[in-house]
Amino acid sequence: MPDASAVTAAVLDDMREESDELDLLVAGLSAQEWTAPTPAEGWTVAHQIAHLNWTDEVALVAATQPDSFSAEVEKALAAPETFVDEAAEEAVAALTPADLLVEWREGRARLQEALRAAPDGAKLPWYGPPMSVASMATARLMETWAHGQDIADALGVTRRPTARLRHVARIGVRARDYAYFVRGLRPPAEQFRVELRAEDGGLTVYGPEDAGQRVTGPLLDFCLLVTQRAHRDDLAVEAVGPDAGQWLDIAQAFAGPAGPGRPRKADAGPAGPGRPRKADR
């Protein structure tokens, strides 16, 4: 079994590759494409990159100035429903797309360096419980993938699923109980079996093999579900058991308030896809 430092380094490599892939998608966009609306209400492609840059910046504070991170939490508590939107709007108003792209590139490079330099066993503060370096990197990868999906949807681009999706799925599974807590519900005591199949046929599994309640389906579809980038009815994720079924209705891989999710394609109407407010952190 690889040691913890090797596992962390591998996750950081995947985090960098996820950002680099999204960079390739947006680097050559025209000014008009940067202003294209995405499935998050009021957010353009530029807002999505601005948000990723902002989150990298606060993650850098957590990694390098942990004693100062409480100030970031206070900002969030002062305006829990708007602080994320306000940060993105400020950046879009202040920066051209070219400058925003430069800031995002430089910021994520600084975060990579800081996370790689963090001591073994370090716990980084966050808006929820403190996280290990590997968990922080996984969370950044998950969010980059999810916002990258918003951008791809806005541009009409179909992305090729990669092995990095296993990180997104892992957060979704680990955040099962959080999805209940954030809604004021009691999580099931029973563990679920989760079996997810990648496009290459590989299987990613979580939970006991003999669990009575199960979730199965494509790895990509599960990731779209837990990041709330698609409605459950539009995905091939299936549940056996009432609790597993309820979880698929509320699952979220991100911290913060319960997200509104995406509407079903059938409910999008003639005007095009619905645009629920952005909810993930």
Side-chain angles (χ1 to χ4, degrees):
M1 178 179 295
D3 61 32
S5 59
V7 170
T8 299
V11 178
L12 284 165
D13 287 344
D14 284 347
M15 169 187 157
R16 181 180 56 220
E17 290 177 8
E18 191 66 40
S19 294
D20 287 349
E21 184 174 292
L22 179 55
D23 194 314
L24 289 174
L25 181 59
V26 301
L29 295 183
S30 66
Q32 183 176 0
E33 287 171 320
W34 276 94
T35 64
T38 68
E41 183 185 4
W43 278 37
T44 64
V45 170
H47 285 87
Q48 300 284 352
I49 295 299
H51 172 68
L52 290 175
N53 181 55
W54 170 81
T55 317
D56 285 345
E57 289 177 349
V58 294
L60 183 63
V61 173
T64 60
Q65 305 174 58
D67 293 339
S68 301
F69 192 77
S70 59
E72 299 298 331
V73 175
E74 290 173 3
K75 293 177 187 176
L77 293 174
E81 299 299 326
T82 60
F83 81 103
V84 169
D85 291 315
E86 290 171 354
E89 189 62 46
E90 287 177 7
V92 170
L95 298 172
T96 66
D99 290 338
L100 178 59
L101 191 57
V102 169
E103 285 216 359
W104 177 48
R105 287 169 173 168
E106 294 178 348
R108 69 185 201 247
R110 288 193 296 269
L111 180 59
Q112 271 277 338
E113 182 179 358
L115 292 179
R116 290 182 185 276
D120 291 342
K123 290 292 184 179
L124 310 181
W126 199 238
Y127 297 100
M131 294 195 290
S132 68
V133 172
S135 292
M136 176 67 82
T138 304
R140 298 304 309 125
L141 186 157
M142 177 274 295
E143 193 167 21
T144 301
W145 180 82
H147 288 282
Q149 186 62 46
D150 289 338
I151 292 171
D153 287 343
L155 300 174
V157 172
T158 299
R159 300 190 297 173
R160 180 182 61 85
T162 73
R164 297 188 297 271
L165 285 178
R166 69 189 186 278
H167 298 298
V168 181
R170 182 171 181 267
I171 288 189
V173 171
R174 292 185 57 138
R176 186 199 76 165
D177 289 359
Y178 178 81
Y180 285 87
F181 289 136
V182 78
R183 290 166 174 80
L185 302 173
R186 178 177 295 178
E190 178 184 355
Q191 294 187 61
F192 303 155
R193 175 73 167 183
V194 179
E195 298 181 351
L196 307 171
R197 189 166 298 281
E199 287 200 344
D200 64 2
L203 196 64
T204 298
V205 299
Y206 303 93
E209 188 173 359
D210 61 350
Q213 303 202 55
R214 313 172 77 85
V215 169
T216 61
L219 176 61
L220 172 60
D221 284 22
F222 182 79
C223 292
L224 290 168
L225 180 78
V226 298
T227 57
Q228 296 189 357
R229 262 51 192 185
H231 193 280
R232 176 184 176 183
D233 290 353
D234 296 322
L235 301 169
V237 183
E238 298 180 356
V240 174
D243 292 335
Q246 181 190 34
W247 176 45
L248 294 188
D249 286 332
I250 65 174
Q252 65 180 71
F254 48 85
R262 297 285 198 261
R264 295 182 302 170
K265 289 181 180 178
D267 296 334
R275 301 193 186 281
R277 289 187 63 80
K278 183 201 158 300
D280 54 289
R281 301 291 184 261

